Every structure is written in structure tokens, then in C-alpha cells.
Amino acid sequence: MSPSPAERAEALRRQIDEAGTAYHERDEQLIPDAEYDRLVRELEALERDHPELAVADSPTQRVGGKASSRFAEVRHAVPMLSLGNAFSDEEVQDFVRRISERLRRDALYFSAEPKLDGLAISLRYENGRFVQGATRGDGSTGEDVSANLRQIAVIPQELQGAGWPDVLEVRGEVYMARADFEAYNAQARLHDGKVLANPRNAAAGSLRQLDPKMSARRKLSFYAYGTGQVEDGDLPPTHSATLAQLRAWGFPVSELCQVVEGSAGLLAYYRDIGERRDGLAFDIDGVVYKLDDRAGQETMGFVSRAPRWAIAHKFPAQEQTTTVEAIEIQIGRTGAATPVARLNPVAVAGVIVSNATLHNADQIQRLDVRVGDTVIVRRAGDVIPEVVSVIAERRPAGTTPWQMPAQCPVCGSEIVREEGEAVWRCSGELSCPAQRKEAIAHFASRRAMDIDGLGGKYIETLVDAGIVRSVADLYRLTRDQLLHLKLVLDADTPEALAAQIGLHLPPEGSGDYLRAILQLDGSDAGWRAKALAMPTAFAWNTRKIATRWADNLIAAIDASRDTTLERLLFALGIENVGENTSKGLSTWFGDLELIRHLPWPLFKRVPDIGGEVARSLGHFF
Ligand code: 9MJ
């Protein structure tokens, strides 16, 4: 039975409160922001449809968390509000239409700003001196974090220029730049291993450190985006001019702030910033639009917790929750064993994600990811999706910590870790089919031997069928072998394959049909080998395409015989030998035979080649 609206509202309030308290008071993230937003919206809709369910202490009526008791309380003379959210173009158009109707104006100008993902704070200046800084808290009462804010270099202690009001509260976001976050974690890994989950938690956590010295260890930044109390003095009549004034008084204001017209201008800004997002120095989770003129803002006023003249337009969530179905090992070219989480497929920012990297065994241990866990996965730009954290509250009973298997799942060789190294490796080297496939793919890649057309799936089959064991075997492939390979692999159903190789399939459902299909079962390398050897009568067009591919590939392999020493050395995939080292070796020695027979310590004579690279070369040859 589905819950009644009252029960559902109660459950939503509990979930939202739990997540909100953890987030605002313990800097802990129980669920991704997108899921939090979704729960709040569901509750809002429910309270709209059933006004009798709306209660005064509902999370829909509140802003942020309540002040925690460790710091002195600060009452905000002007409340610190939060922003309503828009998730679609239509919601942005509605926002603009509401203002247009209320103000009876067609041309509307907005200040469009990046929405930083940090911690909102208010800075109080009296007669040009910084006197107090506070967090937002519940919007009316926050925490006095002045001592920690004084550690932030970009926050002025004294205002520059002249003409500031006697009392001026400047509001903005404290955040940690991505580079500072990475640098902090790199240090933490070397020392106590206490790495921070993301830049937002890093910023929030350090502002709420009781010891300002701890706070100072983490490099925080600040952008101003508004004002609070203003007494005995005036600010310019528009938001954009106010930002310019704040900049002149010494506050950092984002260069990305821009004045645009109407919903078309807002949406164009949204797309532009969305495209630049991955390249920014800091995390943003959307953009903010604010009606530019203050008179219009005053007419629009507020609804319970947010101004009617501003809205946050969120980017599609880059994080989602899902469950871990399995943790498997992927073996790379140099044998590195990377654990990969197989996930219950989930859409993240418009792409279905079913695998996420766990980076290495240390990372798994740190996150304590287990099969069956509910996890937060993140996909940002072109990077491989990753598991960010585990939602401990949702762990089912009976799970066990994950352990690196002792043997390579592909070849059965021991998986080992060298002293002081983070990565575990399959010790099978080129006897491991996984490493062999990767080595061959690297050999054929564009910057190496540039053998165009030899994609991963062909290499996979050639290695599985035992036709190619080493890169040397590529040079023994015949046109007919490649032709058959292509025909077999490109057939995507048993029927198509059967037709291509001239096999008559018995009626579907009969035992003979099953036996015939089993012979064709793509999961068994054996059938491929069989099919490769089968004399056939092919559909003419398929054959023509396959023939052209095979001819081109044979030509590309042939052409690669005539390459440079530098490319060949790089193509061999010797550990620690990249393009630069290959170039150095090639210039220095000029001859493969010489390199092959050189006693390894002599490699150290080459500029930029150290002991480790020299040993790798010695080991390889
Ligand atoms: C952020 N987070 O970057 C506001 N914000 O304005 C910007 N937040 C805001 N503006 C009024 N750029 C309340 C919050």
C-alpha cells in the first residue's frame, strides 16, 4: 500500500532534516545535492496540494541549518536568505515573466553570476574595518567565525578607497579553489591520510575549525556577491554597480558576473558558463540571476525564505546515488590492477553510468566501499565516473570489506605491490592476455605505430583466438584472416553471422538450433577461431566493406614497418619510457641494436634518464 500524503510528508521531512542537519552542522553529506533538492521539491508540491499538511517547522520554511553551539551566535540584522531553484528553461522563463508582470516592464536587466559551491558568509565592516564575520546558520542567526575568516588572505581587513557606509555588511561565498583542494589532499595523504571529500566540505569544515591555525592550513578563497546591513552611507542603485563598488573597496568579485537582458540573455549565459564549467578554477553548481535594479527588487520582495527577484539555475546533477553490484579488477598495459565498481545503471548529467573507477586499493580502503553499498557517483566533463563516497546509513547487513584478490582474474598470476607504491600489479607481464591486449593497442595507437583500423575489439579477438601473441605477430597477419575476423565480429546476431558464413540454421527453438547457436556463441573464443577458418559464401556488400577494411589494415601494418626509431621505442610500451625519453634515446644512440645490447647502467648517461628508467630499459631488453 502506498503511504498517505501525511505519511509521505512526514517521511520526507525526516529525511530532509537528517540530511540538512548532517550537512549544516557536521559538514557531512548523506545524500547528493540533487537528491536533496528532489526531496524538498516533492515536499513543497505535497504541501501545495495539501495545505493542511504544511507545518511551521517544515524544512520548506527554513534556510540552512541552525547555529551550532561551539561558536558565539550572531544575529543577522538583515536576514541571510537562500535562493529558489530553477532546473529548466521553462522555470527561468516563468521567473522572468512573474517579474515582468508585477513590474509592468518588458525590458528587464539581470546580473548573472556563477553559483559557487561553498559556504555563505556575512562580513561586517564598521568605519572601514572588518569587525565580525558569520556563517548563514538558519538565516537569522549564524556563527561567529571571525577568527577563521581573518586567515583568508583575500578578505580585506581594511577597506580600500573611500566613500563606504559607516556600517557595511558584505555577503559572499567562502570556497576552496580546486588546485588548493588537490594540494591540501596531496599533503594530507603524505601526513595523516585524512583527505577531504570535496572542496565544499573542505571550505565548510575549515571555517568551522575551532583552532584558527587549522583553518589557516587550508587555503580558502572568497567571492562577494551582495550586501546585508548598510548604515550611514549609500550604495549604487543597481546590483551590478554595487558589485563594481565592492571590487573597488577591495573585495574579490567574480569576473564571470555579467549584465544580461531577458530570459534569452539568461539562458545564453547559462549555456556559456555550462561550457566553461570544467575549466574554471573552482566548483560551481549553477548560475544565479538577480534583477539588477534595487527599486525593482524592493517591489518584488520575498516569499518565506527567498527573494522573488533572484533565482539559482542549477546545472544537471553531476552526482547521483546508486548501488554497487560488484567490484572487479581491470588490468592495464603495465599490469596496474585498477578496481572498478559495477553499478546499478544510473543517469548522471544525461549519461548512463554503469561503471565507476575506484582508482586503487588505497582509495577503496579509505572509502570502505563494499559490494551492496549505496554510493555517490560523480561524472564531471570527460573524466571517468568515480565513486565519491559511501552512504554508511544505507549499508545492508552482512557486507565485508573489499580486498585486492591475490591472483590476476585474467591470467592467474600473483598480484603484487612493490614497497612504497600505491598500485598493485599483475606480475604476469606479457604472459597476461589483458596486458598483452593493452600492449598491442598501445603499439598500434596513433602516436606510436599509427596502425589505423586495428580497434580494441579486433585486438581482443586476435589475442583470444591465439592468432596474435605479440606485436611481431601483427606483421604475419594475412588479408584473409583479417577479412574473416571482420565478418565474424561485425555480425551482431547469430542469424546474421550464420548467413554470412553460409551456415543454415535449423528452426528456432529446436535442439539443433540451440546446438548451432552454441557453436556461434560469442562468449567462447573457440568458435571465433573456428569461424575464422571456415570457408564461406558471404553477402556481397558486407564482404566488400570487410575487404576494404582488411586491405587498408594490411597496408597500414606494412606502412608501419617504415617508422622512426623514436616512435618504435615509444610503441614498445617499456615502463617509464614515454615519448620524450624515446626521443632522447633515439637521438643519443640512433640504432635499435645498440640500445638492445647496452648494459643498463649506461642508459643513465643520457640526459634526463635516471636510475628507474635505465632499469626499466634493462629489464625490457
Ligand atoms: C553563490 N552561491 O555563488 C548568491 N551565490 O544571493 C551568488 N549566492 C545569493 N549569489 C542571494 N552568486 C542569496 C544568495
Side-chain angles (χ1 to χ4, degrees):
M1 219 178 63
S2 58
S4 70
E7 285 166 342
R8 181 64 191 149
E10 185 51 41
L12 285 168
R13 282 187 197 123
R14 200 175 47 242
Q15 255 183 303
I16 294 167
D17 277 340
E18 263 171 30
T21 306
Y23 189 80
H24 291 290
E25 287 162 37
R26 304 197 301 275
D27 302 316
E28 204 178 292
Q29 188 156 18
L30 300 185
I31 54 177
D33 291 340
E35 194 170 331
Y36 183 85
D37 288 342
R38 215 164 31 238
L39 296 175
V40 172
R41 299 194 127 212
E42 189 187 338
L43 182 58
E44 279 170 351
L46 211 58
E47 291 177 349
R48 218 174 18 248
D49 295 343
H50 304 272
E52 74 280 5
L53 295 180
V55 290
D57 71 341
S58 173
T60 57
Q61 306 300 313
R62 267 181 274 131
V63 178
K66 64 176 192 302
S68 98
S69 56
R70 297 179 304 163
F71 294 93
E73 286 192 355
V74 176
R75 266 201 87 74
H76 299 299
V78 175
M80 288 185 77
L81 295 148
S82 66
L83 295 166
N85 288 323
F87 294 93
S88 66
D89 292 4
E90 289 70 38
E91 287 172 308
V92 173
Q93 285 154 352
D94 287 346
F95 162 74
V96 175
R97 195 174 311 118
R98 282 194 300 272
I99 299 177
S100 175
E101 285 171 3
R102 181 100 165 216
L103 301 184
R104 294 170 205 247
R105 260 197 268 158
D106 288 332
L108 290 176
Y109 292 87
F110 294 90
S111 170
E113 311 169 358
K115 183 172 184 300
L116 275 101
D117 202 8
L119 201 74
I121 57 151
S122 185
L123 305 170
R124 188 179 175 87
Y125 291 81
E126 289 174 4
N127 301 311
R129 292 182 88 92
F130 175 64
V131 293
Q132 189 177 58
T135 62
R136 179 163 66 190
D138 66 1
S140 47
T141 307
E143 296 169 314
D144 184 341
V145 287
S146 308
N148 290 343
L149 289 169
R150 287 186 200 282
Q151 306 292 337
I152 301 177
V154 297
I155 292 182
Q157 297 300 312
E158 309 254 335
L159 299 184
Q160 295 167 18
W164 52 77
D166 290 353
V167 173
L168 173 68
E169 278 180 7
V170 173
R171 288 172 178 180
E173 202 85 354
V174 165
Y175 67 95
M176 190 181 267
R178 287 179 184 152
D180 294 323
F181 171 72
E182 297 299 338
Y184 177 87
N185 271 356
Q187 275 296 313
R189 256 179 226 116
L190 288 180
H191 296 297
D192 52 7
K194 290 209 181 82
V195 294
L196 306 165
N198 56 51
R200 201 213 92 91
N201 284 15
S206 41
L207 260 199
R208 304 169 94 256
Q209 290 285 337
L210 282 172
D211 178 0
K213 281 208 286 294
M214 287 293 290
S215 191
R217 254 181 78 204
R218 307 180 186 181
K219 194 161 173 286
L220 297 180
S221 306
F222 173 78
Y223 270 134
Y225 55 63
T227 53
Q229 193 182 15
V230 176
E231 291 208 341
D232 300 320
D234 287 317
L235 293 178
T238 63
H239 181 75
S240 53
T242 303
L243 292 183
Q245 179 61 267
L246 291 179
R247 198 181 271 139
W249 285 332
F251 294 96
V253 173
S254 171
E255 301 285 342
L256 300 171
C257 296
Q258 212 175 303
V259 176
V260 299
E261 189 191 344
S263 48
L266 295 177
L267 296 177
Y269 179 82
Y270 177 81
R271 305 216 196 303
D272 178 42
I273 298 293
E275 275 164 28
R276 290 154 72 175
R277 180 182 187 184
D278 290 336
L280 299 181
F282 43 82
D283 283 354
I284 58 175
D285 59 351
V287 293
V288 181
Y289 311 137
K290 297 171 182 170
L291 183 64
D292 201 30
D293 70 288
R294 209 184 316 280
Q297 290 181 0
E298 274 157 23
T299 311
M300 291 307 296
F302 302 85
V303 272
S304 62
R305 53 202 264 270
R308 283 207 195 85
W309 45 266
I311 200 162
H313 191 182
K314 295 278 198 87
F315 290 133
Q318 291 189 302
E319 292 187 355
Q320 283 296 350
T321 44
T322 185
T323 49
V324 178
E325 321 239 282
I327 297 174
E328 289 172 8
I329 296 296
Q330 226 161 44
I331 305 293
R333 178 164 65 82
T334 58
T338 307
V340 177
R342 305 287 175 214
L343 306 168
N344 196 357
V346 61
V348 188
V351 173
I352 302 293
V353 171
S354 45
N355 301 304
T357 180
L358 289 156
H359 297 294
N360 53 48
D362 286 351
Q363 170 90 347
I364 298 199
Q365 223 165 40
R366 196 161 59 65
L367 297 173
D368 188 19
V369 182
R370 305 177 184 191
V371 175
D373 270 342
T374 297
V375 291
I376 297 178
V377 288
R378 180 191 299 150
R379 187 191 142 256
D382 298 332
V383 304
I384 305 167
E386 57 174 356
V387 171
V388 183
S389 59
V390 172
I391 302 179
E393 291 75 10
R394 298 205 200 156
R395 170 168 289 164
T399 63
T400 46
W402 184 83
Q403 269 192 324
M404 181 61 82
Q407 266 111 32
C408 169
V410 180
C411 72
S413 303
E414 233 186 310
I415 291 188
V416 293
R417 160 136 89 171
E418 272 173 36
E419 272 295 305
E421 264 215 77
V423 280
W424 292 77
R425 281 178 210 283
C426 158
S427 57
E429 302 200 347
L430 290 181
S431 74
C432 174
Q435 292 188 54
R436 218 178 307 153
K437 287 173 194 170
E438 294 294 332
I440 292 166
H442 170 75
F443 183 82
S445 66
R446 200 171 48 78
R447 304 176 77 136
M449 300 302 269
D450 194 19
I451 302 177
D452 196 24
L454 191 61
K457 72 172 177 179
Y458 304 111
I459 294 174
E460 171 124 18
T461 306
L462 287 168
V463 172
D464 286 343
I467 295 169
V468 170
R469 285 170 218 279
S470 70
V471 294
D473 288 335
L474 292 177
Y475 294 90
R476 298 191 190 100
L477 288 170
T478 67
R479 178 174 170 279
D480 276 357
Q481 275 178 317
L482 290 174
L483 183 59
H484 288 199
L485 170 77
K486 173 87 175 156
L487 288 165
V488 170
L489 279 182
D490 288 359
D492 46 18
T493 63
E495 285 74 13
L497 177 58
Q500 280 179 9
I501 62 176
L503 181 75
H504 174 70
L505 281 182
E508 201 175 330
S510 68
D512 284 346
Y513 174 85
L514 281 179
R515 266 187 292 282
I517 296 286
L518 278 179
Q519 274 191 1
L520 296 172
D521 176 7
S523 63
D524 169 9
W527 73 264
R528 290 178 178 162
K530 250 179 279 162
L532 290 177
M534 245 179 243
T536 51
F538 302 106
W540 191 78
N541 202 33
T542 319
R543 193 183 172 95
K544 204 171 78 180
I545 294 166
T547 307
R548 196 177 313 138
W549 176 83
D551 284 342
N552 288 344
L553 186 49
I554 289 284
I557 293 172
D558 252 346
S560 76
R561 292 175 201 269
D562 187 20
T563 189
T564 59
L565 176 58
E566 174 184 335
R567 272 179 180 261
L568 177 63
L569 284 171
F570 173 61
L572 291 174
I574 305 163
E575 206 179 341
N576 303 312
V577 178
E579 281 173 296
N580 281 336
T581 307
S582 303
K583 192 177 184 135
L585 286 167
S586 152
T587 320
W588 199 262
F589 298 106
D591 181 68
L592 184 62
E593 282 311 300
L594 185 56
I595 294 174
R596 276 177 69 175
H597 297 106
L598 202 71
W600 73 266
L602 292 184
F603 285 116
K604 286 190 282 189
R605 300 279 172 87
V606 182
D608 296 331
I609 290 190
E612 200 178 354
V613 177
R615 253 191 305 277
S616 295
L617 284 161
H619 178 70
F620 184 88
F621 287 115

